[in-house]
Amino acid sequence: VISVNKCYVPGQLLVTDSECLTYLLEEWIVLKYLLYMIICIILLWCSIAVFSSIVPLCIMLFIYLSALFLLIYQRTHKLNGPYYSDAWNDVRLILSTIWDGFARFWHGYELHGTENLPDGPGLIIYYHGAIPIDYLYFLTRLFVLKRRFCYSLADDFLFKFPGDLFCIRALAAMMNIIRNTKEGGLNVLKKGHLLGISPGGVREALFSDESYKLVWHKRTGFAQLAVDAKVPIIPMYTQNVREGFRVFGRTILSRWLYEYVRWPVLPPYGGFPVKFRTYIGEPIPYDPNVTAVELAIKTKAALRSLIQKHQQIPGNICDALKERFHKEKKG
């Protein structure tokens, strides 16, 4: 008679040693793979976190390098005079081509609706992403395609940015970015140029989200500017701009802090290579019978309609990444 050693497995009858060993081995394999999955998930999230912080910093570095290139070009070619003059068009084209190449490579950037831009002056009203790199893409693509530049009104904090050493303000001036004043904007429009404004500005950049809500409050200054200059308003928005970059830490406290200091207090993250498509909507013509308040409401409705037509709401990063593999959309 051959004796068989037995062991006890909870919830089961007595089993042989070999069966017990097999059971324990299976349990160990399950735990091993579970541990591997946990480690992989942790590494994945760490990689995303590192990627999300590095890309915005790389873009900032790219901006500084562009400013440094401008400074070197200015010194070597002995350029002087105002940055908006044609004397700067060669270096403007070089930098625009570089940035346009980056836009094509990283975000598969497309620009639609340039036929809606008037030949003369016009006020472009656009949605402000967490980082308005899409607007920079628009400026550079427009100059590469049409040799035409669009002036821009920027928040005052940009001109307080510590960048004199690397010629940041010179770069902004060459890109025709000017202080946000009514007089400056009116002067640009009366000279027959395009002018870009984001009524939401930094507030919209920080406190809008993947629902693409417009954070304008009761701003009507842009509409009054269009009325005074007697120019059309052209709505503009970039598809998936919120999936490319987002901000961290939107809370009631951070909102209060921003309203108090008026500086971008929340850190951006992302830089995901999602598909960017900028859509320029049909212009809203000047009408002397429409007040600034009515025009502001009309503009807001037109921009919302443009967003709803082209944007998946709420936005999704994975779907925006898949857009890179789709054919170019028209309209």
Side-chain angles (χ1 to χ4, degrees):
V1 179
I2 300 174
S3 64
V4 179
N5 293 328
K6 297 182 179 181
C7 68
Y8 176 73
V9 177
Q12 298 183 12
L13 298 174
L14 291 177
V15 296
T16 65
D17 286 345
S18 60
E19 291 175 335
C20 181
L21 181 62
T22 301
Y23 174 83
L24 293 175
L25 184 61
E26 290 175 350
E27 289 290 307
W28 180 80
I29 291 174
V30 170
L31 290 174
K32 178 182 175 181
Y33 279 105
L34 181 61
L35 181 61
Y36 281 162
M37 287 179 61
I38 293 173
I39 292 174
C40 288
I41 292 172
I42 292 174
L43 290 176
L44 176 62
W45 278 109
C46 289
S47 300
I48 292 173
V50 171
F51 177 88
S52 299
S53 59
I54 286 178
V55 174
L57 291 176
C58 288
I59 290 174
M60 184 60 66
L61 177 61
F62 199 14
I63 292 173
Y64 272 107
L65 290 176
S66 299
L68 185 59
F69 174 80
L70 173 62
L71 178 61
I72 294 171
Y73 191 96
Q74 179 182 2
R75 298 288 176 82
T76 56
H77 290 73
K78 299 179 180 179
L79 292 177
N80 293 305
Y83 288 101
Y84 56 79
S85 68
D86 292 341
W88 296 88
N89 278 354
D90 287 343
V91 66
R92 186 179 286 116
L93 180 60
I94 292 172
L95 289 174
S96 295
T97 303
I98 292 172
W99 275 96
D100 188 54
F102 176 78
R104 292 175 186 271
F105 167 73
W106 195 248
H107 287 114
Y109 182 71
E110 298 173 12
L111 177 61
H112 300 274
T114 54
E115 66 278 3
N116 290 326
L117 295 175
D119 294 330
L123 184 60
I124 297 174
I125 300 299
Y126 64 95
Y127 173 82
H128 201 302
I131 294 181
I133 193 172
D134 62 302
Y135 183 69
L136 178 58
Y137 291 169
F138 159 71
L139 294 178
T140 55
R141 177 66 62 85
L142 182 65
F143 189 77
V144 169
L145 292 178
K146 306 287 186 180
R147 297 297 189 274
R148 185 180 186 187
F149 49 76
C150 172
Y151 283 79
S152 310
L153 293 186
D155 196 280
D156 286 341
F157 93 89
L158 177 65
F159 300 93
K160 300 174 183 178
F161 197 80
D164 283 337
L165 179 61
F166 292 103
C167 209
I168 290 295
R169 291 186 184 87
L171 181 65
M174 195 205 61
M175 297 301 295
N176 301 295
I177 299 173
I178 60 177
R179 287 184 178 274
N180 188 6
T181 64
K182 181 180 179 180
E183 294 75 16
L186 194 59
N187 184 50
V188 166
L189 292 172
K190 286 187 174 180
K191 287 183 178 180
H193 298 293
L194 294 173
L195 177 66
I197 299 177
S198 173
V202 178
R203 183 182 287 108
E204 187 167 85
L206 298 179
F207 300 106
S208 183
D209 53 28
E210 55 271 21
S211 69
Y212 288 81
K213 62 182 179 182
L214 302 180
V215 188
W216 289 12
H217 290 289
K218 297 181 180 180
R219 288 191 172 180
T220 59
F222 71 92
Q224 187 62 56
L225 180 61
V227 170
D228 294 342
K230 300 179 181 180
V231 298
I233 287 180
I234 306 100
M236 186 176 76
Y237 132 88
T238 299
Q239 182 186 45
N240 298 324
V241 66
R242 279 283 161 184
E243 283 56 71
F245 295 91
R246 292 182 176 177
V247 293
F248 177 79
R250 283 194 305 268
T251 63
I252 296 176
L253 179 60
S254 62
R255 182 63 178 268
W256 174 87
L257 183 60
Y258 168 76
E259 298 296 344
Y260 182 74
V261 299
R262 292 302 176 92
W263 270 70
V265 294
L266 301 181
Y269 70 93
F272 304 109
V274 300
K275 185 69 177 181
F276 275 6
R277 293 186 180 95
T278 294
Y279 292 97
I280 302 172
E282 295 183 2
I284 303 171
Y286 166 71
D287 185 346
N289 298 317
V290 175
T291 66
V293 174
E294 293 171 335
L295 183 58
I297 294 173
K298 196 172 182 179
T299 303
K300 197 170 189 177
L303 188 53
R304 277 177 175 164
S305 177
L306 195 64
I307 293 172
Q308 290 171 356
K309 180 179 180 181
H310 298 289
Q311 182 63 50
Q312 172 186 325
I313 297 176
N316 182 278
I317 294 175
C318 290
D319 290 341
L321 287 169
K322 292 176 185 177
E323 286 287 324
R324 293 296 301 271
F325 303 100
H326 290 185
K327 292 183 178 179
E328 179 178 319
K329 290 184 178 181
K330 299 298 181 183

